[in-house]
Amino acid sequence: MIARASQLFLPTLRDAPADAEALSHKLLVRGGFIRQVSAGLWTFLPLGWRVHRRVEQIIREEMDAIGGQEFLCPVLTPIELWQATGRDKIPELFHLRDRNSRAYILPITHEETFTFHAREIRSYRELPQLWYHFQVKDRDEPRPRGALLRLREFIMKDAYSFDRDEEGALASFEKNLAAYHRIFDRCGVEAHAVQAESGIMGGKLTMDFLAPSGSGENTLVRCERGDYAADAEIARGIPRAPEFPSRLDKPEEVETPGVVTCEALAEFLGVDLAATSKAMPVTKEDGSVVLALLRGDDRLAESKLLSALGSDSRPSTDEEIRAAFGAGGGSLGPVGFAGEVLADETLREGQFVAGANRDGYHLRGVEAARDYQPRFADIREPREGDRCPECGGRLVFQTAIEVGHIFNFGDKYSSGLEASFLDEDGVEKPLLGGSYGIGPARVMAAIVEQRGDEQGILWPASISPYDAHVIVLAGAEEIAAQAAEALSSTGRSVLLDDRDARAGEKFADADLIGVPLRITAGKKSLEDGLVDVRDRETGEERRVAPDEVAG
RNA sequence: CGGGACGUAGCGCAGCCUGGUUAGCGCGCCUGCUUUGGGAGCAGGAGGCCGGGAGUUCGAAUCUCCCCGUCCCGACCA
């Protein structure tokens, strides 16, 4: 296949739009891959759609390889399906009505629809099943951003597994996990599987695939030795040990006038900031006040707190604090507090300075278990400089894009939608489900983030819009056509830049568009009959006969 | 939803503060000639409801108010 650039709609731009921040945003727009229609709504132009489809095809092949069966479910969805699972209240849902004012939604994923179809599964003999489709998702995002990084409408490959028992569901999960590694591998994108969310539902089987990138909404925490990876929201890190002052047999009150921050306290008393403790009272949904206790140099990780409390919470109000502690913020501590103390793991060992629950006073030498009875949990935010919880290696932090998410949802949807089957033992049981999503557009964006530079993109050969980019310079039309034919006849797709443009423009566009293989026919070719073949990745260039470029 | 910024030609911007000819510049686009291996030169040309509405004024891109849109930070995120 040979595409003539002179006939394509391939609007490349010399400058990036002023409002573009992310590299992928800039380069995909400049390269003529995508164009914006409205906030979070983007059109894939022909070049961008070719890449998208290649990503899709890789996903399709790997899903089929593990027994996946491709469907196509509608976007427009009767709201009843979502009412049945209680997801109709999700704020991101777009709602609409037909002419008879029947209510519909535009789904954010398709668990309900696939589970609806799974109601036709009658017997354990029909299990397991693995179904998927590529379909539009709509989400009324509060803040779309970064072009393909966060869209309001996008295509997702979402797959759903249905199993008869936990063992089967786990097997389905693992098959998909392995397929995902192959997919990202083949797409040439670096993506790390990490434990997702803290799992208030107790769902252990939920993993995100995070692709490190210059822009993104997640932070990937990894051990430099490669044995640990997690999303920063739930990652565990081991901070340096504090330098404790000499041990006290019991807490000792010390006057600390006007000292309300841990930094000021450490300064005032001349102790290591890490040897102070930070008291953060929060109020749970049931109204009870819990004292979250951290080291003075740490920050509270909200999603860890959520997981540890098993309930939503908010910072307590001044009145609640006064009522629960008898003192105001700045002098709070665990000693003498009647409610629950949720202490970070870092407070297990050693003696810390803590608030005395008396305005203007603190206690030295406060020791967990001796002076107060906490429940321990990991609730601190990991940070640069922490050590790996597995091996003690150094942790590195990278911003990342979530390109995939897989999780088991048990009977969450099948119970609401009454999707059950008759098991071997004659008992009617709910199907156990799993959900496996990938956003091809985010994969594209991640690749550009990982492999782009100021000049342009460098697509991996597996998803490049074309296999080869043949540049025709004045006079060398015939030799260029010969090279293009040679490539095309071996099944490769060729972008033939036959535009009436200057060499510099063509080279610059080729760098921008990012096809990994570039062939140039020009004046030199008229002399020796050869063309330049340049590997964009290595910069390696050699002169070859046009008939042999495919070799 | 809170904070901030910005809407002037396809893209990037100036003009606005201090109201006053026909609203400018660079790139791109069209025509012609020259040029042709890393974004050419000359000449000519096309292209604007200055985001929208209301007001102030003899007169508004410019001042005031309202609305809309877009981007960034935060909150949120199945």
Side-chain angles (χ1 to χ4, degrees):
Chain A
M1 193 278 289
I2 300 174
R4 296 182 167 270
S6 62
Q7 290 159 31
L8 297 181
F9 182 61
L10 185 50
T12 56
L13 299 173
R14 194 181 293 223
D15 302 309
D19 54 22
E21 297 270 322
L23 184 64
S24 58
H25 183 174
K26 291 179 186 168
L27 293 180
L28 289 168
V29 171
R30 282 188 55 209
F33 292 87
I34 56 171
R35 283 294 185 269
Q36 182 167 27
V37 173
S38 177
L41 299 178
W42 289 74
T43 293
F44 282 82
L45 304 184
L47 205 65
W49 188 239
R50 289 180 69 88
V51 177
H52 195 285
R53 284 194 320 189
R54 293 200 72 180
V55 175
E56 283 181 29
Q57 189 52 31
I58 288 172
I59 296 170
R60 180 174 287 119
E61 286 168 13
E62 293 299 337
M63 293 311 292
D64 289 349
I66 57 169
Q69 304 160 72
E70 187 167 356
F71 280 51
L72 183 63
C73 297
V75 176
L76 195 58
T77 303
I79 198 168
E80 287 80 3
L81 283 183
W82 285 59
Q83 285 166 337
T85 60
R87 289 215 299 171
D88 58 314
K89 302 296 184 227
I90 290 172
E92 281 76 22
L93 275 186
F94 279 105
H95 292 261
L96 65 165
R97 290 180 179 273
D98 68 10
R99 65 178 75 198
N100 298 317
S101 81
R102 270 202 60 177
Y104 294 83
I105 57 96
L106 301 177
I108 56 176
T109 58
H110 277 80
E111 277 85 356
E112 280 79 357
T113 310
F114 274 98
T115 304
F116 166 82
H117 292 301
R119 295 199 286 201
E120 283 195 58
I121 296 170
R122 303 275 177 219
S123 156
Y124 73 93
R125 292 174 196 274
E126 299 166 58
L127 295 172
Q129 290 287 324
L130 178 62
W131 301 345
Y132 73 98
H133 68 172
F134 291 88
Q135 184 57 292
V136 167
K137 311 296 172 210
D138 286 277
R139 299 181 183 186
D140 192 357
E141 292 288 351
R143 184 146 105 82
R145 67 189 98 183
L148 302 187
L149 295 181
R150 192 171 196 75
L151 292 160
R152 289 202 294 173
E153 179 173 286
F154 60 97
I155 289 173
M156 177 188 269
K157 183 288 294 179
D158 41 327
Y160 302 91
S161 64
F162 296 100
D163 278 279
R164 60 188 289 204
D165 54 25
E166 292 292 345
E167 199 182 346
L170 176 62
S172 288
F173 183 87
E174 282 173 349
K175 267 201 298 192
N176 280 277
L177 175 62
Y180 269 44
H181 281 296
R182 287 191 291 271
I183 289 166
F184 295 123
D185 236 38
R186 286 182 60 187
C187 288
V189 64
E190 178 192 349
H192 300 269
V194 303
Q195 174 85 38
E197 298 158 24
S198 36
I200 186 168
M201 301 305 192
K204 280 226 164 51
L205 288 181
T206 167
M207 298 187 94
D208 276 334
F209 286 81
L210 298 184
S213 77
S215 302
E217 303 182 317
N218 298 74
T219 301
L220 172 64
V221 178
R222 280 191 303 142
C223 174
E224 62 182 352
R225 294 181 199 164
D227 56 357
Y228 182 76
D231 189 296
E233 285 193 7
I234 60 157
R236 281 187 303 130
I238 310 298
R240 70 175 176 88
E243 289 170 31
F244 291 110
S246 48
R247 207 171 173 288
L248 298 176
D249 290 336
K250 61 179 173 55
E252 180 184 299
E253 199 170 67
V254 50
E255 194 172 354
T256 52
V259 172
V260 292
T261 66
C262 288
E263 288 76 13
L265 180 67
E267 171 90 4
F268 182 81
L269 296 177
V271 301
D272 184 357
L273 178 61
T276 65
S277 63
K278 182 184 286 182
M280 305 192 68
V282 298
T283 303
K284 292 208 290 187
E285 280 174 318
D286 64 7
S288 61
V289 173
V290 174
L291 181 65
L293 200 63
L294 292 157
R295 239 167 66 167
D297 57 338
D298 276 333
R299 291 169 54 111
L300 181 66
E302 285 175 33
S303 64
K304 291 183 181 178
L305 178 70
L306 172 67
S307 161
L309 291 178
S311 148
D312 268 322
S313 63
R314 55 167 173 80
S316 302
T317 63
D318 289 346
E319 294 75 50
E320 288 167 342
I321 290 171
R322 185 62 65 180
F325 294 89
S331 300
L332 305 179
V335 180
F337 172 58
E340 184 186 5
V341 177
L342 183 67
D344 186 72
E345 297 287 355
T346 50
L347 300 172
R348 265 188 202 277
E349 305 292 332
Q351 294 193 335
F352 294 82
V353 182
N357 293 327
R358 179 177 168 202
D359 289 330
Y361 289 87
H362 281 80
L363 297 175
R364 291 176 181 274
V366 173
E367 193 173 317
R370 185 191 70 182
D371 304 320
Y372 65 103
Q373 302 301 319
R375 178 159 71 91
F376 287 107
D378 173 33
I379 53 171
R380 66 183 285 275
E381 242 176 41
R383 58 170 196 271
E384 211 82 41
D386 284 354
R387 314 302 293 189
C388 170
E390 301 292 335
C391 73
R394 214 163 58 86
L395 292 180
V396 293
F397 290 64
Q398 295 171 288
T399 57
I401 302 171
E402 182 187 335
V403 289
H405 183 196
I406 62 178
F407 61 100
N408 270 5
F409 55 73
D411 64 357
K412 180 172 172 193
Y413 298 94
S414 50
S415 60
L417 288 158
E418 293 172 357
S420 58
F421 68 101
L422 200 58
D423 207 348
E424 203 168 359
D425 55 11
V427 177
E428 187 92 6
K429 296 174 184 172
L431 292 164
L432 297 183
S435 175
Y436 315 91
I438 292 184
R442 278 195 175 176
V443 172
M444 282 175 66
I447 288 166
V448 178
E449 293 284 340
Q450 288 177 2
R451 301 170 60 100
D453 57 30
E454 281 308 306
Q455 303 309 310
I457 302 168
L458 201 181
W459 295 109
S462 60
I463 63 159
S464 174
Y466 294 94
D467 296 318
H469 193 150
V470 178
I471 289 182
V472 191
L473 299 180
E477 289 80 5
E478 248 177 68
I479 297 171
Q482 233 182 315
E485 282 298 341
L487 287 158
S488 179
S489 68
T490 60
R492 269 168 270 203
S493 57
V494 179
L495 176 60
L496 181 67
D497 192 349
D498 59 340
R499 294 173 304 168
D500 180 20
R502 303 181 64 79
E505 285 178 67
K506 294 190 180 189
F507 288 136
D509 273 354
D511 290 342
L512 180 58
I513 290 168
V515 174
L517 191 65
R518 189 184 84 186
I519 287 115
T520 308
K523 191 160 57 180
K524 285 189 280 176
S525 311
L526 296 177
E527 290 160 11
D528 62 7
L530 304 178
V531 295
D532 286 318
V533 177
R534 181 186 166 89
D535 183 314
R536 194 178 182 291
E537 180 152 29
T538 62
E540 199 177 297
E541 196 161 305
R542 58 206 168 86
R543 288 189 71 73
V544 178
D547 293 331
E548 283 155 22
V549 287

